Amino acid sequence: MFNSITIEKEVSYMGRKDIYTIEQGDKSIPITHKVGGFMHKKEKAETKKLTHTDFRPIFDAFNELDFTKAWKESGDIVGYDGWTLKCTISNVSSETSVKLWCPAESPENPETTKLLQACEKVFSLFE
């Protein structure tokens, strides 16, 4: 169980950082998308509210993740271009997160693939 999820998708060479915040609510689940970065300062945040039923597939996808496995799959990849994905799951005063450089879906990286698919469920709400 978790109280919030924060997903940060950053493409620094484009000056863009997308932040998705999910908060647990009593009556609905608000999901906010904010675009930031030096080239996107004037964009307004957008919030969508999902029912608990509509949110269930997203909850299940994140609840099944093992951040340690995803982190171990990332290996020694380092670069100066590309993008990063950071996902943080919080529960009251505890949190865990993983930050990956240029993650991609691949049969060799099943946990990273599950993470990307979970994040895509959130991203698709704002396309």
Side-chain angles (χ1 to χ4, degrees):
M1 191 60 147
F2 49 82
N3 287 33
S4 68
I5 300 171
T6 303
I7 305 166
E8 299 174 35
K9 184 177 178 183
E10 184 171 14
V11 185
S12 58
Y13 68 88
M14 290 181 59
R16 182 181 176 108
K17 184 174 189 175
D18 291 88
I19 302 171
Y20 300 84
T21 306
I22 302 167
E23 300 286 337
Q24 288 283 6
D26 291 334
K27 296 182 181 183
S28 65
I29 309 295
I31 303 175
T32 302
H33 174 225
K34 180 180 179 186
V35 178
F38 68 90
M39 294 181 66
H40 302 276
K41 293 182 184 229
K42 295 184 180 184
E43 297 199 33
K44 293 183 180 183
E46 179 182 3
T47 300
K48 300 206 175 191
K49 292 184 178 184
L50 299 182
T51 65
H52 286 272
T53 303
D54 290 340
F55 180 69
R56 191 68 194 186
I58 296 171
F59 174 86
D60 290 342
F62 281 96
N63 201 41
E64 294 173 9
L65 291 173
D66 184 331
F67 282 6
T68 301
K69 287 181 182 178
W71 174 74
K72 287 180 179 180
E73 290 173 354
S74 69
D76 298 343
I77 300 172
V78 177
Y80 297 105
D81 60 355
W83 65 288
T84 59
L85 176 71
K86 180 179 179 183
C87 184
T88 304
I89 295 179
S90 301
N91 187 15
V92 187
S93 61
S94 300
E95 68 180 35
T96 187
S97 45
V98 65
K99 184 175 183 180
L100 305 173
W101 181 75
C102 290
E105 291 188 26
S106 165
E108 292 83 33
N109 299 319
E111 206 62 29
T112 301
T113 298
K114 283 173 37 180
L115 173 62
L116 289 167
Q117 290 170 347
C119 290
E120 185 55 41
K121 291 178 184 299
V122 176
F123 300 159
S124 67
L125 296 171
F126 296 94
E127 293 178 350

